[in-house]
Amino acid sequence: MFSLAEENYLKAIYHLESKTQGAVSTNAIADAMATKPSSVTDMVQKLADKKVLSYIKYKGTSLTDKGKKTAANVIRKHRLWEVFLVEKLNFHWDEVHDIAEQLEHVHSTELIARLDKFLGFPDFDPHGDPIPDKHGNIKPTEKKLLSELNKNQKGVCVGVKESNSDFLQYLDKKHITIGTKISVLGKEFFDGSMVIQVGRDQFFISKKIAENLYMQTN
Amino acid sequence: MFSLAEENYLKAIYHLESKTQGAVSTNAIADAMATKPSSVTDMVQKLADKKVLSYIKYKGTSLTDKGKKTAANVIRKHRLWEVFLVEKLNFHWDEVHDIAEQLEHVHSTELIARLDKFLGFPDFDPHGDPIPDKHGNIKPTEKKLLSELNKNQKGVCVGVKESNSDFLQYLDKKHITIGTKISVLGKEFFDGSMVIQVGRDQFFISKKIAENLYMQTN
DNA sequence: TATAATTTTTAGATAAGGCTAAAAATAAAA
DNA sequence: TTTTATTTTTAGCCTTATCTAAAAATTATA
Ligand SMILES: [Mn+2]
Ligand SMILES: [Mn+2]
Ligand SMILES: [Mn+2]
Ligand SMILES: [Mn+2]
């Protein structure tokens, strides 16, 4: 059993590992967790003792299989609770993260099994992120960023990269959500901006927006 | 905002106050929380600083209005989550307490407001205990213990006093649950045992059982 | 009322998790 | 290849929540 602090470290390291190749640096973890590098060193040494990650002084850390599974399980809980909050309690998708941050630390495998069933065994959370199965496995999906599409390509929005409130509220204003069809009408190669079509609306979006929307093109 | 430990102390003191008259003793709190009296003294001094209880050395403590409201709110969350677990996730009434012990510490008034609505604004938890409203008020109910009933009296089971697994499973075996009609066919004044009728079944129960079932007689 | 038993508090330790400041190792620049 | 800058670790301290052992206050008993 892992403490709340330990679970949060494992989760952060798991996400960092998936974003970069090789061992995760102490500073990167400190940044991600808004804490100090010295605190990270302490915790990482403790987690190495518990065999959930391997740590080499000055060289960084990487999760063991046990660590990956533990982290994925916390992420599974987080995302299932987010589905619950949106689907059952009618929260908006920009309001659920902080509450899920707390709920993810409730320990009960039976609870999560039943919640999963109650929600109809969802595959994705409200932000389009995949929900790991009970073994910690995530089925790979072929998605690309909207910014990678070219003129005249189209697809369906399947997720958001960032999910802070400002961004999600912008998407709402533009009527973009998971499942929305988007066509690229124009793309400016100088700054990466685009003109896109959403429903009957056509409008301009910046590169920053396009880089935070995951699309599936078939 | 109160820590998990502080919330648990407030809850325990709240329950102790409702069971006895006058200030709550340090030892009583230590017993209820399975901790040491010295730990209780420390925490009680801290909670007195925070104005949620009044504490006089060697004389015991009693909750202030602020303390009562805070405690009632934790209890409200606990009981609403228990309703959720039983009504929505199909847990059995003897399985939900430990999970609710964790869920009750999730901080979000919006979450509880929506959960309350989702559950249809329930008045009682799965064990028949009343759910305080958002202001911490509990509507008084006229219930008495089955052991207080006499021969030929009858009523409806509206709650259980103890709710440990063994007792709840005994009740299941005898088909007694919240809402079950029970008639007292006989009562032995020597040991307080009874013969009762539940549905078509008639059987013997000990005083201990009768002292843990709340009844409403109309 | 003096003595004994019980309850409660204080003093001092410990463990988890975090911080600052200084030291050590590594990486970058000259 | 030195020197400088950056990263990482160590050392020492803090807070919260616990504990044990000893002291103090209260209550019960003789
Ligand atoms: Mn989230
Ligand atoms: Mn999410
Ligand atoms: Mn309970
Ligand atoms: Mn209950």
Side-chain angles (χ1 to χ4, degrees):
Chain A
M1 194 76 76
F2 295 90
S3 72
L4 185 146
E6 289 170 334
E7 289 187 341
N8 282 336
Y9 270 93
L10 290 173
K11 195 165 51 115
I13 296 167
Y14 183 96
H15 283 134
L16 288 169
E17 268 188 338
S18 74
K19 264 178 239 162
T20 54
Q21 75 292 20
V24 179
S25 79
T26 300
N27 265 8
I29 299 170
D31 270 11
M33 303 206 48
T35 185
K36 301 292 167 187
S38 55
S39 303
V40 173
T41 300
D42 275 354
M43 181 57 94
V44 147
Q45 288 173 344
K46 191 171 66 162
L47 291 173
D49 290 345
K50 292 198 176 186
K51 311 288 185 200
V52 283
L53 55 80
S54 67
Y55 161 68
I56 305 169
K57 259 191 176 185
Y58 293 104
K59 296 295 178 189
T61 69
S62 48
L63 296 180
T64 62
D65 284 350
K66 189 183 170 195
K68 282 196 191 95
K69 192 174 168 179
T70 306
N73 201 256
V74 177
I75 292 165
R76 169 174 164 78
K77 290 191 279 180
H78 182 106
R79 292 181 179 165
L80 282 172
W81 280 117
E82 283 191 344
V83 173
F84 169 72
L85 294 171
V86 168
E87 296 295 316
K88 302 296 183 178
L89 299 195
N90 299 117
F91 273 99
H92 194 265
W93 68 343
D94 76 328
E95 302 172 309
V96 297
H97 181 76
D98 291 346
I99 300 173
E101 272 312 289
Q102 299 179 65
L103 288 165
E104 73 187 7
H105 300 293
V106 172
H107 293 295
S108 167
T109 45
E110 186 63 21
L111 171 62
I112 293 305
R114 285 177 186 253
L115 181 64
D116 192 22
K117 183 178 183 183
F118 180 60
L119 299 173
F121 306 106
D123 291 316
F124 299 95
D125 85 357
H127 311 104
D129 293 314
I131 297 171
D133 68 22
K134 71 184 73 171
H135 308 293
N137 301 314
I138 296 177
K139 61 180 72 145
T141 56
E142 351 55 35
K143 63 188 179 185
K144 52 179 75 172
L145 293 172
L146 175 54
S147 57
E148 297 174 75
L149 299 197
N150 290 312
K151 187 173 173 178
N152 294 324
Q153 282 192 283
K154 57 189 167 186
V156 176
C157 174
V158 294
V160 292
K161 193 171 175 190
E162 285 284 322
S163 60
N164 73 63
S165 266
D166 282 345
F167 179 51
L168 298 181
Q169 282 170 21
Y170 168 87
L171 295 183
D172 288 333
K173 211 163 55 190
K174 297 299 194 180
H175 306 104
I176 297 173
T177 188
I178 310 290
T180 302
K181 286 190 197 118
I182 301 176
S183 311
V184 178
L185 302 179
K187 183 175 184 180
E188 205 62 60
F189 281 88
F190 174 63
D191 65 353
S193 65
M194 291 176 161
V195 174
I196 62 174
Q197 172 135 13
V198 175
R200 283 164 203 78
D201 295 342
Q202 301 182 359
F203 53 88
F204 166 93
I205 61 168
S206 71
K207 186 184 184 186
K208 184 162 184 187
I209 299 295
E211 280 176 330
N212 278 293
L213 280 174
Y214 284 118
M215 305 292 295
Q216 199 157 51
T217 57
N218 285 322
Chain B
M1 195 75 78
F2 295 90
S3 72
L4 185 146
E6 289 170 334
E7 289 188 341
N8 282 334
Y9 270 93
L10 289 173
K11 196 165 50 116
I13 296 167
Y14 183 97
H15 284 134
L16 289 168
E17 268 189 339
S18 74
K19 263 179 239 162
T20 54
Q21 75 293 19
V24 179
S25 78
T26 300
N27 266 9
I29 299 170
D31 271 12
M33 304 206 46
T35 185
K36 301 292 167 186
S38 55
S39 304
V40 173
T41 301
D42 275 354
M43 180 58 93
V44 146
Q45 288 173 342
K46 190 171 66 161
L47 290 173
D49 290 345
K50 292 199 176 188
K51 312 287 185 201
V52 283
L53 55 80
S54 67
Y55 161 69
I56 304 169
K57 259 190 178 187
Y58 293 104
K59 296 295 176 188
T61 69
S62 48
L63 295 179
T64 62
D65 284 349
K66 189 184 170 194
K68 283 196 190 94
K69 192 173 168 180
T70 306
N73 202 256
V74 177
I75 292 165
R76 169 175 165 78
K77 289 191 280 179
H78 182 105
R79 292 180 179 165
L80 281 172
W81 279 118
E82 283 190 344
V83 173
F84 169 71
L85 294 172
V86 168
E87 296 294 317
K88 301 296 183 179
L89 299 195
N90 299 116
F91 274 99
H92 194 265
W93 68 343
D94 77 327
E95 303 173 308
V96 297
H97 182 75
D98 290 346
I99 300 174
E101 273 309 292
Q102 299 179 64
L103 287 165
E104 74 187 7
H105 301 292
V106 172
H107 292 139
S108 167
T109 45
E110 186 63 21
L111 170 63
I112 293 305
R114 286 175 185 254
L115 181 64
D116 192 23
K117 184 178 184 183
F118 181 60
L119 299 173
F121 306 105
D123 292 317
F124 299 95
D125 85 359
H127 312 104
D129 294 314
I131 297 172
D133 68 21
K134 72 184 76 173
H135 308 295
N137 302 313
I138 296 178
K139 61 182 68 149
T141 55
E142 351 56 36
K143 62 186 179 186
K144 52 179 73 171
L145 293 173
L146 174 54
S147 57
E148 297 174 74
L149 300 197
N150 290 312
K151 187 174 173 177
N152 295 325
Q153 281 193 283
K154 57 189 169 187
V156 176
C157 174
V158 294
V160 292
K161 194 171 176 191
E162 284 284 323
S163 59
N164 73 63
S165 266
D166 281 345
F167 179 51
L168 299 181
Q169 283 170 23
Y170 168 87
L171 295 182
D172 287 333
K173 210 163 55 189
K174 297 299 194 182
H175 305 105
I176 297 173
T177 187
I178 310 291
T180 302
K181 286 189 195 120
I182 300 176
S183 310
V184 179
L185 302 180
K187 184 175 183 179
E188 205 61 63
F189 281 90
F190 173 61
D191 65 354
S193 65
M194 291 176 160
V195 174
I196 62 175
Q197 171 133 13
V198 175
R200 284 162 202 79
D201 296 342
Q202 301 182 359
F203 53 89
F204 165 92
I205 62 169
S206 71
K207 187 183 184 187
K208 184 161 183 186
I209 299 294
E211 280 176 331
N212 279 294
L213 279 175
Y214 284 118
M215 305 292 295
Q216 197 156 50
T217 56
N218 286 319

